[in-house]
Amino acid sequence: MSANQRTLFESWGRSVSHTEPRKNISNSAGKTSKKKTLKVKDGSEQRESSSALWGETVPQDEDKDDDDDLMLVAVYEAERSLLTSDITSCPDQHSLPQGYDPSAGQIWIYPTNYPIREYQLKMSEAALLQNTLVCLPTGLGKTFIASVLMYNFYRWFPAGKIVFMAPTKPLVSQQIEACFKIMGIPQHHMAELTGSTAAQQRRELWRSKRVFFLTPQVMVNDLSRNTCPATHVKCVVIDEAHKATGNHAYCQVIRELWNQTQQFRVLALSATPGGDVKAVQQVISNLLISHIELRSDDSPDVQTHVHQRTLEKIVVPLGESLTQYQSRYLQSAWSDRSQ
């Protein structure tokens, strides 16, 4: 991506509070603060304080020496210069990604119809700004994070295509319902594509729908036949991302998209990203990952949401038919060994 594109992605969802300079700056010390605005699903705003570069000055004691006053003035001027630079350096319409809606892109939406978990909020925000590999134990809300990302790109790119890929058809079917329940993406804008769907029907679905759930093999076929408009794809979510090694279909999809457009976001999901460093590095390289969000059952912000597991061992009898096959196999193996 170009530098302008990176600047745009990094600025999405951020809001900076502006304050007027105080007239009597010589008797004040710069105390800075920053507000981050988060507009949630119900339209309300939540503000969260964090460190920043500018803010409102507050008065201090009168007995500060001249050197401190000069330093304060210098700091104030530097902060004002940074603020002016930030405002004037906003990308113009020509530097925006194709199909991007600037008015929608000024905010990002996080749902409040579910309890807010800090780690999910942080992972969602990171995934909006960078190609992210989310490593999270099963049952802790990877699909939730994917739904937040998909919904915001759905808003930001009114004509863009959003793709969710899973390795099996049952997993694909589960995600459609989950995304609808979590973020309320209209179901008439969603489509499930399978290999059994007729070619002409698939072409029409790619033209008329916006959010697609499919296996990577189907995606590869549609890209190779130009059925899928690759330049319109703005967000790709990959479930079970640890499979993206070698020449897996996941890898083929990302390569083909990259050959036609570089303006798309990737979110990779996995509970177990790889057995060793080499395997994890393959996944990172093949999926163009630039950021990793990793949590385990022992992570402080996850522990309160991990439920104690109880394992119960159930032995199922083989049954008459399987018992016969077992006996024949054992007899055959014993006779071969005795010879």
Side-chain angles (χ1 to χ4, degrees), residues 22 49 65 74 109 111 117 134 147 197-198 219 221 226 236 240 244 256 290 297 302 309 333:
R22 298 178 65 91
S49 298
D65 57 29
I109 294 178
R117 298 181 178 183
V134 170
S147 299
T197 308
M219 186 68 177
N221 292 337
N226 292 323
V236 179
E240 304 292 335
E256 187 60 31
S290 60
D297 290 337
V302 168
R309 299 184 181 95

Side-chain angles (χ1 to χ4, degrees), residues 38-268:
L38 172 65
K39 182 165 287 189
V40 294
K41 186 78 175 187
D42 59 7
S44 63
E45 289 187 355
Q46 297 178 352
R47 293 187 177 269
E48 177 181 319
S49 298
S50 61
S51 59
L53 294 175
W54 52 78
E56 184 179 1
T57 58
V58 294
Q60 295 289 324
D61 296 338
E62 297 289 342
D63 57 351
K64 294 293 183 182
D65 57 29
D66 293 341
D67 290 341
D68 288 341
D69 291 340
L70 290 174
M71 179 64 70
L72 290 172
V73 173
V75 170
Y76 172 77
E77 292 298 331
E79 291 172 349
R80 189 173 65 175
S81 175
L82 283 173
L83 176 59
T84 304
S85 174
D86 180 73
I87 295 174
T88 57
S89 64
C90 291
D92 57 30
Q93 294 293 329
H94 300 290
S95 66
L96 299 178
Q98 182 180 3
Y100 170 69
D101 181 358
S103 60
Q106 292 179 11
I107 61 170
W108 68 281
I109 294 178
Y110 190 84
T112 57
N113 54 334
Y114 284 80
I116 296 179
R117 298 181 178 183
E118 188 66 22
Y119 70 91
Q120 288 181 326
L121 177 60
K122 290 180 179 179
M123 289 180 169
S124 298
E125 185 172 11
L128 291 169
L129 307 177
Q130 305 169 81
N131 288 353
T132 303
L133 172 61
V134 170
C135 305
L136 197 61
T138 302
L140 290 178
K142 293 188 292 293
T143 300
F144 182 94
I145 297 166
S147 299
V148 173
L149 179 74
M150 294 168 68
Y151 181 76
N152 281 282
F153 273 82
Y154 171 87
R155 292 178 51 255
W156 292 344
F157 293 89
K161 309 294 183 183
I162 315 299
V163 174
F164 189 109
M165 292 188 294
T168 63
K169 290 182 181 179
L171 285 175
V172 169
S173 300
Q174 290 175 11
Q175 303 307 326
I176 296 180
E177 184 178 1
C179 288
F180 174 73
K181 286 183 176 180
I182 294 171
M183 294 301 294
I185 297 176
Q187 287 185 314
H188 64 273
H189 283 174
M190 299 190 291
E192 179 181 357
L193 298 180
T194 65
S196 59
T197 308
Q200 185 60 35
Q201 182 181 358
R202 281 157 65 159
R203 190 177 298 275
E204 175 61 23
L205 288 173
W206 277 111
R207 186 194 66 80
S208 60
K209 304 294 184 179
R210 295 189 51 203
V211 183
F212 300 87
F213 300 83
L214 66 173
T215 61
Q217 291 80 10
V218 172
M219 186 68 177
V220 169
N221 292 337
D222 286 355
L223 285 171
S224 62
R225 298 167 184 167
N226 292 323
T227 303
C228 168
T231 55
H232 290 184
V233 175
K234 300 302 179 183
C235 177
V236 179
V237 179
I238 298 174
D239 197 15
E240 304 292 335
H242 54 271
K243 296 180 179 293
T245 58
N247 198 38
H248 190 274
Y250 279 154
C251 310
Q252 298 178 44
V253 169
I254 298 301
R255 282 200 302 266
E256 187 60 31
L257 285 174
W258 183 257
N259 288 336
Q260 300 188 46
T261 177
Q262 286 81 52
Q263 294 182 341
F264 64 94
R265 173 67 67 237
V266 176
L267 171 62

Side-chain angles (χ1 to χ4, degrees), residues 1 3 13-14 18-19 26 39 49 64-65 71 91 97 152 178 203 214 242 256 258 278 296 304 311-312 327 329:
M1 287 187 178
R14 306 204 179 254
H18 301 261
T19 57
S26 61
K39 182 165 287 189
S49 298
K64 294 293 183 182
D65 57 29
M71 179 64 70
N152 281 282
R203 190 177 298 275
L214 66 173
H242 54 271
E256 187 60 31
W258 183 257
K278 184 177 180 181
S296 68
T304 56
L311 299 179
E312 182 180 356
S327 300
Y329 173 79

